[in-house]
Amino acid sequence: MLHAAPDAGGPLWPLVVYFLAVLLLTGGIVGVSWVLGQRHRARTTDEPFESGIKPTGSASQRVSVRFYLLAMFFVIFDLETMFLITWAIAYRRVGWAGYGAMVLFVVTLLVTLAYLWRQGALDWSPRRPLPARGDSPDGVSPH
């Protein structure tokens, strides 16, 4: 009844049995959870909870763009690591051309990191205004 085409490589019944087992298992887990689960609604049920710390403000407050920038930088430099690992695995096959390309890649990323650092994208300290002309940097007037 459920047979594959001659060139497909075998019968389909093991796949059908597998999918039925998956559906039965997930349905059983959800059903048991529904039967045995708690159905009460306390005042604190919908409150956010993180590591035992009580929430101090609204969960919909604005987040600094620095968090997103840091996340993007992490992804970029994480991908750099993956390229380096891939190159390290295949370094014998790619030879000097691969070595040169990887050196150029790393130098480009180091220049990018230096640029980000110079622009202050990695600086999380609050920015202080520059002192006015004639004022000393420590804020003490010379007069």
Side-chain angles (χ1 to χ4, degrees):
M1 176 157 83
L2 286 175
H3 294 286
D7 60 343
L12 290 177
W13 69 265
L15 189 61
V16 172
V17 169
Y18 174 76
F19 280 124
L20 288 175
V22 167
L23 289 174
L24 184 67
L25 182 65
T26 54
I29 290 172
V30 170
V32 168
S33 172
W34 185 78
V35 169
L36 298 178
Q38 297 179 2
R39 290 186 179 73
H40 66 83
R41 299 292 287 179
R43 186 172 62 93
T44 58
T45 301
D46 292 329
E47 281 190 22
F49 184 79
E50 177 101 18
S51 304
I53 300 172
K54 296 238 180 223
T56 57
S58 170
S60 62
Q61 63 186 352
R62 291 182 181 230
V63 178
S64 173
V65 73
R66 291 179 180 174
F67 288 105
Y68 299 109
L69 283 174
L70 190 67
M72 284 191 291
F73 298 153
F74 175 78
V75 168
I76 289 169
F77 288 102
D78 194 39
L79 287 173
E80 170 196 3
T81 304
M82 293 309 298
F83 281 125
L84 283 171
I85 290 171
T86 306
W87 170 77
I89 291 171
Y91 76 100
R92 286 188 179 148
R93 281 183 258 147
V94 294
W96 285 104
Y99 179 75
M102 193 51 59
V103 167
L104 180 65
F105 179 68
V106 170
V107 167
T108 303
L109 285 169
L110 288 174
V111 168
T112 304
L113 180 62
Y115 174 77
L116 291 172
W117 193 346
R118 184 119 172 131
Q119 291 295 318
L122 304 175
D123 186 19
W124 279 62
S125 63
R127 296 193 182 261
R128 292 182 296 171
L130 294 174
R133 276 191 157 168
D135 290 345
S136 65
D138 60 359
V140 179
S141 176
H143 300 286

